[in-house]
Amino acid sequence: MVSRPGWYLAPCLAFLLPGASATGAQTVGATTGAIDGTVTDRAGAALAGASVTVAGEALMVPVMAVTASDGSYRFAALPPGTYGLSFTRPGFEPATRQHIQVRVDVTATVDVALDVTHAETIVVRGAAEIDRRSTAIATAFDPGELARLPGDRTWGAILAATPAVQLTRFDVGGSTASAVGPFSVYGTSGFIRPTIEGISITRPAGMAFALDYGSFAGVWVGTGAYGPEWPTPGVHLQFITKSGGNRYTGTVYGGYEDGAWQSHNIDDRQIAAGAPAVDGLLASESNRLRSYRDLNADIGGYVKKDRVWWYASAREHASSSRQVSFPVEPLATRATTLTGKGTWRVRDADQIVLFAQGSRTRQPIRLDGFLRTTTARNTNADSTSRQLAHASVWKGEWRRVVGSSLFIEVRAGQFVSNRAERPNGWSPRTEDLLRPEVSGGNRDWNYDWHSDQVNGSFSYFRNGPRGGHQLNAGFEVQRLVATETWRRAYPGDVLHVTQNGMPSEVYVFQTPSQSRAGVWAYALQAGDAWQISDRLALNPGLRFDRYRVFLPEQHHPAGRFNPTHRPFAAIHSIADWNVVAPRIGVSFDASRDGRTILKASYGHYWLWPSTELGFAANPNGPVWWQRYKWADTSGDALWQPGEEFDLQETRGGEAIESIDPALKLGYLTELTGRVEREAAGGLFIGTGVVWRGERQQGARQREHWPVDAFSVPLTLRDPGPDAAFGTPDDGDTIQLFELGPDFLSQSGIVIRNPPNAASDSLTWEVAARRRFSRGWSAAGSFAHTWNRDHARDFLGQTIRANEYPLTPNDFIHTDPRGRHVYRNWSAKIHGTVEGPWRMRVTPFLRHQSGQAFGRTLIARVNYGAIPVLAEPVGTRRQRNVTLMDVKVERDVWRGGRSALTPFVEVFNAFNANPEQNVSWETRSFLRPVVIVPPRIVRVGFTLDW
């Protein structure tokens, strides 16, 4: 067991919970925003006792507050939406402010100076865009911006528009079928924590969970500088759904594309490099969209005005497109999503919210392999699988507002998903380690994910002689259980492994098999947004996490490797950690008017252990197999019993992967510095730097293979990019090291902290945003990241044997610490312009650097075949990607609040054709794997009432 004491939690939290404190910080499940500000007279003196009323369609009833002795007021727990404020005080003229946009996890500050009584009412529009207290780096999208943004209407489209987010897959008119692919921000990939209505939906892409885009009332995307409410770094999203209202409203969206409405963009150079033509299909057709349709309708209203609201939505989304790596037939995806929500104001201070969303996703063709990734070429549909996935999320939530200073929220819910894959063929399975090809039937497989959750927080607000405090404390409990089932492995329970077509190894499986692993996660967090003075705010915070990896009771039926049924008792804890993470942020008003804010933050993040750690240490592995060397004595390229020899590796029956008792939890340290400015006309500009250092990561490694065990030198000849020896482009010889003969028989794998596991990144970013007014809006950003990190794979391509350097061969063509050194950048701009005749145009231009890479080789050493970098990562770069999308819409009919708006969208308007991914392996060097699809047109309409 791995453990750390947690006795210091109580005094730490006591330090952060002073009796005179208050907060407006959000918990990890935040579903609301806030408005605050100060009321003064024209001379700047605070006005106590002024009445401030907030009203908006997202509120059931208007809410009133009275300013404190320093003139301050605050409205917490406001649902995302547009609000108006009114200010009154005897002896002063009333004032109003309209069109104040409240976003999730953001505090809008509205300061007002009242005139003494005279004949007119003051009306001022807008509010400060800058959150003067929070140092979090985040982007919020309101329903209007979500509706206008051209794209595939998935969370991937939102990430594509978020500053500093680097994508690995680029959607053109729905070509990615809602599959976002890996992405990163500020040099960090993974650790994504999306929530919907405050419930975590971890791994939505991997579980094929299709979100209901039309139901969003707001989306908050965090990218860094988090407070203690968030456990990990990375990209975090919060989706908030609509809630109905005091009038019946609804929207119908329809979008359609046809394969005939697109161009061709694969050129002769790409065809010569290997873009394929199959069965009479022209190579120029191998990356085109075949069809797309999207129908999304919602409706909401009330059961009883001001008391009970309801909302419902449904979406049917389907697309079909070709990929260069599988030109045989289009890859189709069809997703159906249903959403329901109810809100009940039990009493004036209490609300109960019930929510549920479920989806069903079907994919007739998937390209998953056992050893080869989806970048390998499947020669026909028999080697693919078909997928059916179900997923659902639900919650029950209670909120209570106590006076003007205390807000409490508690919610319980669950995210459940099931992803099943069935084979499309039954011929013998072969995967080639040198040729990027697979053939033969696929697996019969199932993956279940259950996440039970309870979380809550309370927020307390108070002003005192030492400044204003906004204190938040919260808790979170999650129980995650993953179940992997192999009903059948590959045909005959055999996987043939070849090297350049020659027999090499064979995997012999035993199925059926089922394995389960789980993680308990407990958290307490507290933070204080302390407004020390009018210009200075401090945000100290502390987070305590307890993680416990466990194994539920399970069993394995009798089969090829065990003659009798094998039970496996539950293991309460195979690893656990108690850890504390401090966070602190500071904001300083440099201009004295709240429009130029200097911000800095420090954050320590522990990296959440996944259920994969439990699977690794589980003697009942997800799938039981034995790997042998293979001598094809029959010469028929099919394994026959007796052709195997020299058992290389085994899975199942015993926990050959142990966990080092001294294993430490990985962590990331983050430092940020920014300046944010709100200029005239609602223009927001921000720039700054983000440094991140990742430390103490764990890795799988041979328990008895130290670095100095690799002592036998071996010279590898590099044939150069043309893969032919004796030509002018031949590379230098590469010095490898094989394992000493005394170590070859050593077995056993341990998960521990390797000595070289530190990664660093530095990002400079600039972003600008202008909220919609006077007929136009705009948002743009540029981010440049310098990386020194570890990786075994990039874009599905393996570049060395291990994630972290565990052998001398892992240090080849890296820096002295085994890290890859490279840089990347991205730029994005989108906005909306209102023209004549009720026409709106929304262009979206994005540019991203191509992935830095180096050519690789496959080397045969005495402990297996390993990939080797023939060049450092960064020697070459895939083509930069620049895409232009545009949406043009026009209201053709308006009646009161109702409108019918047809639209036309053009994706990849410049018909760019960069390769998103090319082969880095010498034998297929620069062969296109994924090419950006060509220009295509979508037509559709939106009906609002």
Side-chain angles (χ1 to χ4, degrees):
M1 177 182 294
V2 181
S3 181
R4 297 185 180 184
W7 56 266
Y8 44 73
L9 173 63
C12 290
L13 290 181
F15 171 77
L16 288 171
L17 297 172
S21 295
T23 189
Q26 300 287 352
T27 183
V28 67
T31 59
T32 60
I35 298 175
D36 71 0
T38 303
V39 180
T40 65
D41 62 17
R42 286 297 177 183
L47 291 180
S51 296
V52 186
T53 302
V54 61
E57 289 192 354
L59 275 179
M60 285 190 166
V61 293
V63 178
M64 188 185 76
V66 177
T67 57
S69 59
D70 61 352
S72 65
Y73 70 93
R74 180 178 179 87
F75 296 103
L78 295 175
T82 302
Y83 292 88
L85 289 176
S86 61
F87 304 83
T88 60
R89 190 179 188 276
F92 291 83
E93 287 294 328
T96 63
R97 284 205 171 185
Q98 303 296 329
H99 304 291
I100 300 165
Q101 195 70 45
V102 170
R103 299 182 173 94
V104 177
D105 225 3
V106 175
T107 298
T109 298
V110 183
D111 296 331
V112 169
L114 299 183
D115 282 334
V116 294
T117 302
H118 56 77
E120 59 179 330
T121 298
I122 300 172
V123 179
V124 186
R125 295 182 179 271
E129 181 79 10
I130 301 175
D131 191 327
R132 300 182 189 179
R133 294 183 177 87
S134 173
T135 57
I137 306 172
T139 303
F141 296 85
D142 59 47
E145 189 172 10
L146 291 171
R148 293 189 295 267
L149 190 67
D152 63 340
R153 301 181 78 245
T154 67
W155 61 293
I158 297 170
L159 291 177
T162 301
V165 173
Q166 290 273 136
L167 301 176
T168 58
R169 300 189 68 178
F170 297 88
D171 186 87
V172 176
S175 61
T176 61
S178 304
V180 178
F183 54 88
S184 63
V185 64
Y186 306 136
T188 301
S189 59
F191 309 112
I192 179 176
R193 185 78 185 280
T195 66
I196 181 166
E197 287 290 317
I199 300 299
S200 173
I201 52 171
T202 309
R203 301 182 63 182
M207 300 314 301
F209 182 39
L211 295 174
D212 186 354
Y213 190 89
S215 70
F216 298 156
V219 179
W220 179 92
V221 186
T223 52
Y226 301 111
E229 63 275 10
W230 290 100
T232 59
V235 178
H236 300 309
L237 301 97
Q238 296 190 82
F239 302 97
I240 308 302
T241 59
K242 302 171 186 176
S243 299
N246 277 335
R247 63 184 184 90
Y248 293 104
T249 61
T251 300
V252 177
Y253 168 93
Y256 179 78
E257 297 172 40
D258 190 281
W261 304 347
Q262 65 184 318
S263 303
H264 295 81
N265 68 347
I266 293 182
D267 57 33
D268 293 341
R269 178 189 60 81
Q270 292 167 328
I271 294 173
V278 176
D279 296 333
L281 178 74
L282 295 176
S284 60
E285 298 285 335
S286 61
N287 69 334
R288 302 181 81 224
L289 193 76
R290 180 179 180 180
S291 64
Y292 174 97
R293 68 176 186 274
D294 187 358
L295 183 61
N296 204 167
D298 68 354
I299 187 171
Y302 60 88
V303 176
K304 184 176 181 180
K305 286 186 176 181
D306 301 336
R307 286 292 177 186
V308 183
W309 289 356
W310 63 272
Y311 174 79
S313 178
R315 185 185 187 193
E316 178 78 10
H317 182 204
S319 65
S320 176
S321 61
R322 295 187 180 274
Q323 287 190 13
V324 172
S325 59
F326 185 70
V328 180
E329 61 181 271
L331 304 183
T333 299
R334 181 180 176 186
T336 303
T337 310
L338 301 176
T339 303
K341 185 177 180 180
T343 306
W344 177 23
R345 188 166 69 95
V346 184
R347 293 182 294 273
D348 288 347
D350 295 277
Q351 278 192 3
I352 292 176
V353 180
L354 301 176
F355 166 81
Q357 185 173 110
S359 76
R360 182 173 187 252
T361 304
R362 290 136 289 182
Q363 290 183 305
I365 299 288
R366 284 192 61 88
L367 307 180
D368 305 88
F370 189 73
L371 301 176
R372 302 296 310 196
T373 68
T374 55
T375 60
R377 184 179 299 173
N378 289 254
T379 55
N380 56 62
D382 288 346
S383 59
T384 68
S385 60
R386 60 186 183 276
Q387 175 184 279
L388 177 62
H390 297 84
S392 63
V393 57
W394 65 267
K395 77 161 184 182
E397 178 178 288
W398 169 69
R399 306 173 185 165
R400 182 176 179 85
V401 179
V402 182
S404 60
S405 60
L406 181 63
F407 172 64
I408 304 170
E409 58 180 349
V410 179
R411 65 181 62 86
Q414 187 181 64
F415 175 56
V416 179
S417 58
N418 175 278
R419 175 182 156 193
E421 295 179 9
R422 303 288 183 265
N424 284 325
W426 295 102
S427 58
R429 178 78 172 188
T430 299
E431 299 190 9
D432 197 294
L433 293 178
L434 298 182
R435 294 174 180 171
E437 293 181 356
V438 299
S439 62
N442 218 304
R443 62 186 178 178
D444 191 344
W445 176 86
N446 198 86
Y447 196 91
D448 288 281
W449 180 269
H450 281 71
S451 174
D452 304 315
Q453 306 170 44
V454 178
N455 63 62
S457 69
F458 78 86
S459 303
Y460 179 62
F461 318 99
R462 181 171 176 177
N463 293 318
R466 297 181 181 178
H469 292 270
Q470 305 175 13
L471 178 76
N472 172 273
F475 73 93
E476 184 177 9
V477 179
Q478 283 199 63
R479 182 180 185 270
L480 312 174
V481 176
T483 303
E484 185 171 347
T485 304
W486 287 66
R487 293 184 176 88
R488 271 189 293 188
Y490 303 96
D493 272 350
V494 175
L495 172 66
H496 304 84
V497 181
T498 58
Q499 294 190 35
N500 202 26
M502 300 300 294
S504 174
E505 295 180 336
V506 62
Y507 285 78
V508 181
F509 296 83
Q510 175 186 288
T511 58
S513 62
Q514 184 180 85
S515 181
R516 304 178 70 204
V519 176
W520 275 101
Y522 312 85
L524 294 174
Q525 58 90 9
D528 184 12
W530 180 14
Q531 191 71 42
I532 299 174
S533 67
D534 290 343
R535 302 179 65 189
L536 181 63
L538 191 66
N539 293 275
L542 194 68
R543 180 181 180 91
F544 168 80
D545 286 288
R546 173 172 171 76
Y547 300 113
R548 178 166 61 85
V549 182
F550 69 95
L551 299 178
E553 182 180 352
Q554 49 203 289
H555 67 90
H556 186 84
R560 172 181 274 162
F561 303 146
N562 56 297
T564 60
H565 171 270
R566 285 282 305 275
F568 296 90
I571 300 179
H572 175 73
S573 176
I574 62 173
D576 63 78
W577 295 268
N578 298 307
V579 292
V580 171
R583 315 276 171 83
I584 189 166
V586 60
S587 300
F588 179 72
D589 182 358
S591 59
R592 298 178 181 269
D593 61 359
R595 296 191 177 275
T596 301
I597 308 296
L598 305 180
K599 297 183 177 183
S601 73
Y602 162 84
H604 187 94
Y605 304 87
W606 295 98
L607 305 180
W608 185 312
S610 73
T611 55
E612 297 304 315
L613 184 62
F615 282 125
N618 192 347
N620 180 34
V623 59
W624 290 33
W625 51 258
Q626 294 177 349
R627 178 169 66 92
Y628 295 90
K629 292 183 179 179
W630 172 32
D632 184 21
T633 55
S634 63
D636 59 358
L638 297 176
W639 171 77
Q640 311 292 337
E643 292 183 341
E644 75 281 1
F645 66 99
D646 288 352
L647 178 64
Q648 302 292 294
E649 196 174 2
T650 183
R651 285 288 188 277
E654 60 181 15
I656 64 168
E657 295 187 16
S658 61
I659 297 178
D660 185 347
L663 178 68
K664 299 177 182 179
L665 198 62
Y667 68 88
L668 182 143
T669 301
E670 177 189 72
L671 296 171
T672 73
R674 299 176 67 82
V675 56
E676 298 179 355
R677 168 69 179 170
E678 185 165 15
L683 176 63
F684 161 84
I685 303 173
T687 187
V689 295
V690 178
W691 175 85
R692 285 180 169 176
E694 193 174 308
R695 302 291 185 268
Q696 212 166 267
Q697 281 282 31
R700 299 174 66 248
Q701 53 193 290
R702 291 283 183 174
E703 187 172 6
H704 304 293
W705 286 7
V707 173
D708 57 10
F710 297 84
S711 56
V712 181
L714 175 69
T715 299
L716 176 66
R717 293 179 60 199
D718 177 10
D722 67 358
F725 290 105
T727 57
D729 71 348
D730 284 8
D732 295 332
T733 58
I734 300 173
Q735 183 66 63
L736 303 180
F737 289 90
E738 294 189 302
L739 197 63
D742 294 340
F743 294 91
L744 284 172
S745 60
Q746 301 287 342
S747 62
I749 295 175
V750 64
I751 301 173
R752 60 189 173 200
N753 302 110
N756 294 288
S759 298
D760 297 283
S761 66
L762 177 66
T763 302
W764 170 66
E765 177 186 19
V766 59
R769 187 181 186 95
R770 185 186 187 275
R771 58 180 177 265
F772 192 87
S773 65
R774 298 183 180 179
W776 69 281
S777 66
S781 66
F782 174 79
H784 192 292
T785 300
W786 293 265
N787 296 281
R788 291 180 177 269
D789 66 13
H790 294 282
R792 177 179 180 266
D793 302 279
F794 285 99
L795 303 182
Q797 305 198 56
T798 304
I799 61 173
R800 70 184 184 192
N802 300 289
E803 180 81 8
Y804 302 99
L806 305 178
T807 79
N809 303 321
D810 296 321
F811 286 91
I812 295 172
H813 287 134
T814 68
D815 77 354
R817 302 179 68 179
R819 299 180 299 185
H820 311 296
V821 181
Y822 61 99
R823 61 191 181 95
N824 54 43
W825 62 88
S826 65
K828 311 173 184 184
I829 184 169
H830 70 274
T832 298
V833 177
E834 280 193 342
W837 308 295
R838 298 193 297 270
M839 185 173 292
R840 291 181 297 277
V841 180
T842 303
F844 180 18
L845 178 64
R846 45 187 165 147
H847 168 84
Q848 183 172 302
S849 60
Q851 173 65 51
F853 74 100
R855 185 170 48 84
T856 63
L857 295 165
I858 299 295
R860 183 69 188 181
V861 292
N862 62 353
Y863 58 92
I866 63 170
V868 175
L869 277 170
E871 304 165 341
V873 171
T875 302
R876 303 171 187 267
R877 184 176 296 279
Q878 295 182 172
R879 293 174 63 190
N880 299 337
V881 179
T882 302
L883 297 177
M884 177 69 172
D885 302 331
V886 62
K887 182 175 185 176
V888 180
E889 54 189 334
R890 180 179 182 273
D891 297 336
V892 298
W893 170 78
R894 275 193 175 275
R897 296 176 180 265
S898 302
L900 175 62
T901 309
F903 65 82
V904 176
E905 290 175 285
V906 180
F907 301 102
N908 191 7
F910 299 148
N911 203 33
N913 69 339
E915 300 87 10
Q916 291 178 212
N917 198 359
V918 297
S919 175
W920 303 354
E921 209 281 316
T922 297
R923 292 179 181 271
S924 56
F925 191 54
L926 300 183
R927 178 183 64 83
V929 176
V930 180
I931 299 174
V932 170
R935 176 176 51 238
I936 193 169
V937 175
R938 178 187 301 169
V939 298
F941 71 94
T942 302
L943 175 62
D944 296 290
W945 73 88

